[in-house]
Amino acid sequence: LYEAVRQCPGCKQAVPNPKNYYSEIAPLKEKAADESYNAGINALMKGNRNDAKRAYFNFVDAQSYVPGYKDVVEYLDKSKFEATLKVVVEQIPVPARYNLSGGFFQDKVEGFLHSNYTENTFIQFYTPTEAKAVDQPYVDQIIRIQFDDFSVGNSVLKEKEETVTRDSVRVGETKVDGKVIPVYNTVKAKYTTYRKELTSNGLLSMIVVDAKSNGVLTHRKFTGEYVWVSQWARFNGDERALTEQQLTLCKLREQQPPNPQDLFLEFTKPIYNQLIPAIKGFYQNY
């Protein structure tokens, strides 16, 4: 208000001698830091996660009023640690006997968790290796993610044969009364289509357990499917009986299917798109 009055000629006429309170700011900040610091200590002493969150924000206020006030930096770290939910993510590898790897899927899940739940949040996800590396004294929850069942490359070949005809097709010429006129007739062909499908699908399980009691907090299952398709056709007879689309299909040949690892990866994509919202939904209130 003091600065606003000073910069407004009309205001200065109404308030010719605005009072300057700048000299009182430093002592007030000291008092504010002390009040926030004590509120943080009281909240932290209650020993639960929600109060540890409140304590952290009180210590942030104290630090903003007077940087380095007492041992506020130490308490910032302590309250943040106690307020943070520590979760270990155990992703069970695909059994080696299948000669398939779920590594790409697992890396994608870990990448999402690490990029979306950073040190600025109150949830921290660790792999078992990471938890051991930082010598984590305890964890709060464990997420276990594994493929309960899957099938890769189940093949089905569908064959359909039909006779196609087209009327009024010019098939030649003839002379009538000395004049050459076109000859029209019905043409036909035996047309066979082939459709090869390779179906791959799987079932993923996500279980969240309390690390202390081992009680199940949530158990969800997600399914995914991918169907690879190759289509081609053959004909026997007059090609003029075929449509352009049918002729184009006759020029195709059976395609080489993707390898099993690629098929595995494809059916995990819809599973990932269900798993991530489920994790976000479960932890949104933490």
Side-chain angles (χ1 to χ4, degrees), residues 164-176:
V164 294
T165 62
R166 180 176 293 182
D167 298 328
S168 303
V169 176
R170 182 170 178 171
V171 295
E173 298 176 339
T174 187
K175 282 187 177 183
V176 177

Side-chain angles (χ1 to χ4, degrees), residues 234-253:
R234 301 283 185 270
F235 79 93
N236 186 15
D238 196 324
E239 72 173 32
R240 292 175 295 182
L242 305 178
T243 65
E244 288 295 326
Q245 185 178 1
Q246 289 170 331
L247 282 171
T248 299
L249 205 57
C250 287
K251 294 176 183 178
L252 301 179
R253 296 292 180 267

